[in-house]
PDB file of all heavy atoms in Angstrom:
ATOM      1  N   VAL A  45     120.115 103.086 106.927  1.00 93.00           N
ATOM      2  CA  VAL A  45     119.859 103.598 108.232  1.00 93.00           C
ATOM      3  C   VAL A  45     118.934 104.801 108.184  1.00 93.00           C
ATOM      4  O   VAL A  45     119.237 105.692 107.426  1.00 93.00           O
ATOM      5  CB  VAL A  45     121.173 103.945 108.894  1.00 93.00           C
ATOM      6  CG1 VAL A  45     120.922 104.433 110.302  1.00 93.00           C
ATOM      7  CG2 VAL A  45     122.170 102.689 108.914  1.00 93.00           C
ATOM      8  N   LEU A  46     117.934 104.677 108.924  1.00 95.00           N
ATOM      9  CA  LEU A  46     116.991 105.845 108.990  1.00 95.00           C
ATOM     10  C   LEU A  46     117.326 106.673 110.217  1.00 95.00           C
ATOM     11  O   LEU A  46     117.353 106.124 111.302  1.00 95.00           O
ATOM     12  CB  LEU A  46     115.543 105.410 109.089  1.00 95.00           C
ATOM     13  CG  LEU A  46     115.049 104.562 107.817  1.00 95.00           C
ATOM     14  CD1 LEU A  46     113.639 104.099 108.069  1.00 95.00           C
ATOM     15  CD2 LEU A  46     115.117 105.389 106.644  1.00 95.00           C
ATOM     16  N   VAL A  47     117.648 107.886 110.048  1.00 96.00           N
ATOM     17  CA  VAL A  47     118.077 108.729 111.212  1.00 96.00           C
ATOM     18  C   VAL A  47     116.843 109.534 111.620  1.00 96.00           C
ATOM     19  O   VAL A  47     116.342 110.362 110.773  1.00 96.00           O
ATOM     20  CB  VAL A  47     119.166 109.714 110.808  1.00 96.00           C
ATOM     21  CG1 VAL A  47     119.633 110.661 111.892  1.00 96.00           C
ATOM     22  CG2 VAL A  47     120.372 108.948 110.291  1.00 96.00           C
ATOM     23  N   PRO A  48     116.392 109.385 112.815  1.00 95.00           N
ATOM     24  CA  PRO A  48     115.198 110.119 113.290  1.00 95.00           C
ATOM     25  C   PRO A  48     115.458 111.577 113.473  1.00 95.00           C
ATOM     26  O   PRO A  48     116.524 111.942 113.711  1.00 95.00           O
ATOM     27  CB  PRO A  48     114.939 109.468 114.708  1.00 95.00           C
ATOM     28  CG  PRO A  48     116.172 108.898 115.209  1.00 95.00           C
ATOM     29  CD  PRO A  48     117.019 108.567 113.982  1.00 95.00           C
ATOM     30  N   ARG A  49     114.374 112.405 113.329  1.00 95.00           N
ATOM     31  CA  ARG A  49     114.409 113.789 113.448  1.00 95.00           C
ATOM     32  C   ARG A  49     114.946 114.233 114.884  1.00 95.00           C
ATOM     33  O   ARG A  49     115.709 115.100 115.041  1.00 95.00           O
ATOM     34  CB  ARG A  49     113.140 114.460 113.111  1.00 95.00           C
ATOM     35  CG  ARG A  49     113.178 115.924 112.982  1.00 95.00           C
ATOM     36  CD  ARG A  49     111.827 116.418 112.354  1.00 95.00           C
ATOM     37  NE  ARG A  49     110.649 116.056 113.218  1.00 95.00           N
ATOM     38  CZ  ARG A  49     109.555 115.529 112.781  1.00 95.00           C
ATOM     39  NH1 ARG A  49     109.428 115.259 111.491  1.00 95.00           N
ATOM     40  NH2 ARG A  49     108.618 115.211 113.593  1.00 95.00           N
ATOM     41  N   VAL A  50     114.480 113.468 115.890  1.00 95.00           N
ATOM     42  CA  VAL A  50     114.802 113.719 117.310  1.00 95.00           C
ATOM     43  C   VAL A  50     115.648 112.549 117.726  1.00 95.00           C
ATOM     44  O   VAL A  50     115.183 111.374 117.600  1.00 95.00           O
ATOM     45  CB  VAL A  50     113.583 113.858 118.221  1.00 95.00           C
ATOM     46  CG1 VAL A  50     114.048 114.006 119.693  1.00 95.00           C
ATOM     47  CG2 VAL A  50     112.717 115.001 117.747  1.00 95.00           C
ATOM     48  N   LEU A  51     116.879 112.771 118.126  1.00 94.00           N
ATOM     49  CA  LEU A  51     117.813 111.724 118.510  1.00 94.00           C
ATOM     50  C   LEU A  51     117.617 111.250 119.869  1.00 94.00           C
ATOM     51  O   LEU A  51     117.960 110.074 120.206  1.00 94.00           O
ATOM     52  CB  LEU A  51     119.275 112.084 118.259  1.00 94.00           C
ATOM     53  CG  LEU A  51     119.632 112.484 116.907  1.00 94.00           C
ATOM     54  CD1 LEU A  51     121.032 112.960 116.743  1.00 94.00           C
ATOM     55  CD2 LEU A  51     119.433 111.316 115.925  1.00 94.00           C
ATOM     56  N   GLU A  52     117.095 112.105 120.813  1.00 94.00           N
ATOM     57  CA  GLU A  52     116.842 111.625 122.170  1.00 94.00           C
ATOM     58  C   GLU A  52     115.604 110.893 122.288  1.00 94.00           C
ATOM     59  O   GLU A  52     114.583 111.383 122.742  1.00 94.00           O
ATOM     60  CB  GLU A  52     116.907 112.846 123.090  1.00 94.00           C
ATOM     61  CG  GLU A  52     118.159 113.614 123.080  1.00 94.00           C
ATOM     62  CD  GLU A  52     119.270 112.874 123.721  1.00 94.00           C
ATOM     63  OE1 GLU A  52     118.964 111.889 124.592  1.00 94.00           O
ATOM     64  OE2 GLU A  52     120.374 113.126 123.520  1.00 94.00           O
ATOM     65  N   THR A  53     115.561 109.623 121.797  1.00 91.00           N
ATOM     66  CA  THR A  53     114.322 108.913 121.713  1.00 91.00           C
ATOM     67  C   THR A  53     113.675 108.489 123.028  1.00 91.00           C
ATOM     68  O   THR A  53     112.463 108.426 123.155  1.00 91.00           O
ATOM     69  CB  THR A  53     114.538 107.584 120.929  1.00 91.00           C
ATOM     70  OG1 THR A  53     115.616 106.856 121.486  1.00 91.00           O
ATOM     71  CG2 THR A  53     114.920 107.968 119.430  1.00 91.00           C
ATOM     72  N   ALA A  54     114.398 108.363 124.149  1.00 91.00           N
ATOM     73  CA  ALA A  54     113.800 108.059 125.451  1.00 91.00           C
ATOM     74  C   ALA A  54     112.991 109.229 125.908  1.00 91.00           C
ATOM     75  O   ALA A  54     111.927 109.212 126.348  1.00 91.00           O
ATOM     76  CB  ALA A  54     114.943 107.675 126.444  1.00 91.00           C
ATOM     77  N   VAL A  55     113.626 110.405 125.709  1.00 94.00           N
ATOM     78  CA  VAL A  55     112.913 111.709 126.086  1.00 94.00           C
ATOM     79  C   VAL A  55     111.688 111.907 125.233  1.00 94.00           C
ATOM     80  O   VAL A  55     110.615 112.307 125.729  1.00 94.00           O
ATOM     81  CB  VAL A  55     113.885 112.916 126.055  1.00 94.00           C
ATOM     82  CG1 VAL A  55     113.157 114.182 126.204  1.00 94.00           C
ATOM     83  CG2 VAL A  55     115.015 112.663 126.956  1.00 94.00           C
ATOM     84  N   LEU A  56     111.844 111.650 123.919  1.00 96.00           N
ATOM     85  CA  LEU A  56     110.764 111.759 123.009  1.00 96.00           C
ATOM     86  C   LEU A  56     109.617 110.840 123.499  1.00 96.00           C
ATOM     87  O   LEU A  56     108.426 111.248 123.373  1.00 96.00           O
ATOM     88  CB  LEU A  56     111.166 111.544 121.597  1.00 96.00           C
ATOM     89  CG  LEU A  56     110.060 111.589 120.514  1.00 96.00           C
ATOM     90  CD1 LEU A  56     109.431 112.955 120.481  1.00 96.00           C
ATOM     91  CD2 LEU A  56     110.696 111.230 119.217  1.00 96.00           C
ATOM     92  N   GLY A  57     109.900 109.606 123.784  1.00 96.00           N
ATOM     93  CA  GLY A  57     108.892 108.647 124.198  1.00 96.00           C
ATOM     94  C   GLY A  57     108.122 109.198 125.397  1.00 96.00           C
ATOM     95  O   GLY A  57     106.858 109.053 125.482  1.00 96.00           O
ATOM     96  N   SER A  58     108.816 109.747 126.392  1.00 96.00           N
ATOM     97  CA  SER A  58     108.214 110.293 127.522  1.00 96.00           C
ATOM     98  C   SER A  58     107.249 111.497 127.146  1.00 96.00           C
ATOM     99  O   SER A  58     106.156 111.644 127.633  1.00 96.00           O
ATOM    100  CB  SER A  58     109.276 110.811 128.447  1.00 96.00           C
ATOM    101  OG  SER A  58     109.973 109.749 128.987  1.00 96.00           O
ATOM    102  N   ALA A  59     107.792 112.366 126.184  1.00 97.00           N
ATOM    103  CA  ALA A  59     106.948 113.532 125.749  1.00 97.00           C
ATOM    104  C   ALA A  59     105.694 112.979 124.997  1.00 97.00           C
ATOM    105  O   ALA A  59     104.606 113.630 125.180  1.00 97.00           O
ATOM    106  CB  ALA A  59     107.794 114.319 124.795  1.00 97.00           C
ATOM    107  N   ILE A  60     105.803 111.927 124.294  1.00 97.00           N
ATOM    108  CA  ILE A  60     104.677 111.311 123.542  1.00 97.00           C
ATOM    109  C   ILE A  60     103.663 110.870 124.689  1.00 97.00           C
ATOM    110  O   ILE A  60     102.382 111.262 124.462  1.00 97.00           O
ATOM    111  CB  ILE A  60     105.076 110.184 122.649  1.00 97.00           C
ATOM    112  CG1 ILE A  60     105.840 110.779 121.449  1.00 97.00           C
ATOM    113  CG2 ILE A  60     103.894 109.317 122.147  1.00 97.00           C
ATOM    114  CD1 ILE A  60     106.537 109.767 120.594  1.00 97.00           C
ATOM    115  N   LEU A  61     104.088 110.145 125.627  1.00 97.00           N
ATOM    116  CA  LEU A  61     103.171 109.625 126.669  1.00 97.00           C
ATOM    117  C   LEU A  61     102.543 110.783 127.420  1.00 97.00           C
ATOM    118  O   LEU A  61     101.337 110.805 127.666  1.00 97.00           O
ATOM    119  CB  LEU A  61     103.890 108.665 127.538  1.00 97.00           C
ATOM    120  CG  LEU A  61     104.338 107.383 126.917  1.00 97.00           C
ATOM    121  CD1 LEU A  61     105.202 106.592 128.014  1.00 97.00           C
ATOM    122  CD2 LEU A  61     103.153 106.536 126.579  1.00 97.00           C
ATOM    123  N   GLY A  62     103.367 111.829 127.676  1.00 97.00           N
ATOM    124  CA  GLY A  62     102.828 112.997 128.377  1.00 97.00           C
ATOM    125  C   GLY A  62     101.739 113.707 127.604  1.00 97.00           C
ATOM    126  O   GLY A  62     100.790 114.159 128.076  1.00 97.00           O
ATOM    127  N   ALA A  63     102.064 113.833 126.223  1.00 97.00           N
ATOM    128  CA  ALA A  63     101.092 114.480 125.370  1.00 97.00           C
ATOM    129  C   ALA A  63      99.695 113.821 125.422  1.00 97.00           C
ATOM    130  O   ALA A  63      98.722 114.417 125.458  1.00 97.00           O
ATOM    131  CB  ALA A  63     101.567 114.621 123.984  1.00 97.00           C
ATOM    132  N   VAL A  64      99.749 112.586 125.471  1.00 97.00           N
ATOM    133  CA  VAL A  64      98.413 111.753 125.426  1.00 97.00           C
ATOM    134  C   VAL A  64      97.816 111.887 126.904  1.00 97.00           C
ATOM    135  O   VAL A  64      96.671 112.136 127.039  1.00 97.00           O
ATOM    136  CB  VAL A  64      98.656 110.250 125.184  1.00 97.00           C
ATOM    137  CG1 VAL A  64      97.420 109.484 125.411  1.00 97.00           C
ATOM    138  CG2 VAL A  64      99.184 110.054 123.739  1.00 97.00           C
ATOM    139  N   GLY A  65      98.705 111.853 127.935  1.00 97.00           N
ATOM    140  CA  GLY A  65      98.175 111.964 129.267  1.00 97.00           C
ATOM    141  C   GLY A  65      97.539 113.272 129.618  1.00 97.00           C
ATOM    142  O   GLY A  65      96.539 113.251 130.405  1.00 97.00           O
ATOM    143  N   ILE A  66      98.007 114.356 129.118  1.00 97.00           N
ATOM    144  CA  ILE A  66      97.332 115.700 129.347  1.00 97.00           C
ATOM    145  C   ILE A  66      96.370 116.023 128.252  1.00 97.00           C
ATOM    146  O   ILE A  66      95.769 117.166 128.327  1.00 97.00           O
ATOM    147  CB  ILE A  66      98.402 116.801 129.490  1.00 97.00           C
ATOM    148  CG1 ILE A  66      99.148 117.031 128.236  1.00 97.00           C
ATOM    149  CG2 ILE A  66      99.287 116.469 130.648  1.00 97.00           C
ATOM    150  CD1 ILE A  66     100.077 118.273 128.272  1.00 97.00           C
ATOM    151  N   GLY A  67      96.045 115.181 127.323  1.00 97.00           N
ATOM    152  CA  GLY A  67      95.070 115.402 126.279  1.00 97.00           C
ATOM    153  C   GLY A  67      95.491 116.304 125.117  1.00 97.00           C
ATOM    154  O   GLY A  67      94.614 116.602 124.325  1.00 97.00           O
ATOM    155  N   VAL A  68      96.776 116.521 124.946  1.00 96.00           N
ATOM    156  CA  VAL A  68      97.244 117.367 123.768  1.00 96.00           C
ATOM    157  C   VAL A  68      97.105 116.415 122.533  1.00 96.00           C
ATOM    158  O   VAL A  68      96.867 116.993 121.521  1.00 96.00           O
ATOM    159  CB  VAL A  68      98.650 117.734 123.962  1.00 96.00           C
ATOM    160  CG1 VAL A  68      99.259 118.469 122.779  1.00 96.00           C
ATOM    161  CG2 VAL A  68      98.766 118.723 125.191  1.00 96.00           C
ATOM    162  N   ALA A  69      97.264 115.149 122.752  1.00 96.00           N
ATOM    163  CA  ALA A  69      97.132 114.232 121.561  1.00 96.00           C
ATOM    164  C   ALA A  69      95.996 113.295 121.987  1.00 96.00           C
ATOM    165  O   ALA A  69      95.889 112.864 123.165  1.00 96.00           O
ATOM    166  CB  ALA A  69      98.427 113.513 121.324  1.00 96.00           C
ATOM    167  N   SER A  70      95.193 112.906 120.977  1.00 96.00           N
ATOM    168  CA  SER A  70      94.077 112.056 121.303  1.00 96.00           C
ATOM    169  C   SER A  70      94.414 110.645 121.662  1.00 96.00           C
ATOM    170  O   SER A  70      93.648 110.025 122.469  1.00 96.00           O
ATOM    171  CB  SER A  70      93.108 112.075 120.056  1.00 96.00           C
ATOM    172  OG  SER A  70      93.796 111.577 118.906  1.00 96.00           O
ATOM    173  N   ASP A  71      95.477 110.140 121.121  1.00 96.00           N
ATOM    174  CA  ASP A  71      95.924 108.742 121.408  1.00 96.00           C
ATOM    175  C   ASP A  71      97.404 108.578 121.083  1.00 96.00           C
ATOM    176  O   ASP A  71      98.061 109.555 120.465  1.00 96.00           O
ATOM    177  CB  ASP A  71      95.114 107.745 120.715  1.00 96.00           C
ATOM    178  CG  ASP A  71      95.034 107.917 119.180  1.00 96.00           C
ATOM    179  OD1 ASP A  71      96.085 108.267 118.578  1.00 96.00           O
ATOM    180  OD2 ASP A  71      93.982 107.652 118.624  1.00 96.00           O
ATOM    181  N   LEU A  72      98.014 107.449 121.371  1.00 96.00           N
ATOM    182  CA  LEU A  72      99.407 107.280 121.133  1.00 96.00           C
ATOM    183  C   LEU A  72      99.737 107.342 119.683  1.00 96.00           C
ATOM    184  O   LEU A  72     100.757 107.969 119.277  1.00 96.00           O
ATOM    185  CB  LEU A  72      99.846 105.817 121.639  1.00 96.00           C
ATOM    186  CG  LEU A  72     100.067 105.793 123.159  1.00 96.00           C
ATOM    187  CD1 LEU A  72     100.487 104.404 123.496  1.00 96.00           C
ATOM    188  CD2 LEU A  72     101.241 106.762 123.556  1.00 96.00           C
ATOM    189  N   THR A  73      98.923 106.764 118.827  1.00 97.00           N
ATOM    190  CA  THR A  73      99.202 106.799 117.330  1.00 97.00           C
ATOM    191  C   THR A  73      99.223 108.214 116.887  1.00 97.00           C
ATOM    192  O   THR A  73     100.209 108.624 116.108  1.00 97.00           O
ATOM    193  CB  THR A  73      98.131 106.000 116.575  1.00 97.00           C
ATOM    194  OG1 THR A  73      98.138 104.634 117.050  1.00 97.00           O
ATOM    195  CG2 THR A  73      98.400 105.997 115.051  1.00 97.00           C
ATOM    196  N   ALA A  74      98.292 109.081 117.225  1.00 97.00           N
ATOM    197  CA  ALA A  74      98.289 110.445 116.845  1.00 97.00           C
ATOM    198  C   ALA A  74      99.487 111.217 117.368  1.00 97.00           C
ATOM    199  O   ALA A  74     100.195 111.971 116.665  1.00 97.00           O
ATOM    200  CB  ALA A  74      97.049 111.253 117.312  1.00 97.00           C
ATOM    201  N   ALA A  75      99.874 110.903 118.640  1.00 97.00           N
ATOM    202  CA  ALA A  75     101.082 111.624 119.224  1.00 97.00           C
ATOM    203  C   ALA A  75     102.399 111.187 118.443  1.00 97.00           C
ATOM    204  O   ALA A  75     103.196 112.014 118.185  1.00 97.00           O
ATOM    205  CB  ALA A  75     101.137 111.327 120.755  1.00 97.00           C
TER     206      ALA A  75
END
């Protein structure tokens, strides 16, 4: 079992999309 560093994965997914949306990350893969 691989335990992720961040357990709140739904919130993390939103943060990833937000980072791409505001340009903090260049694309989804980078985020």
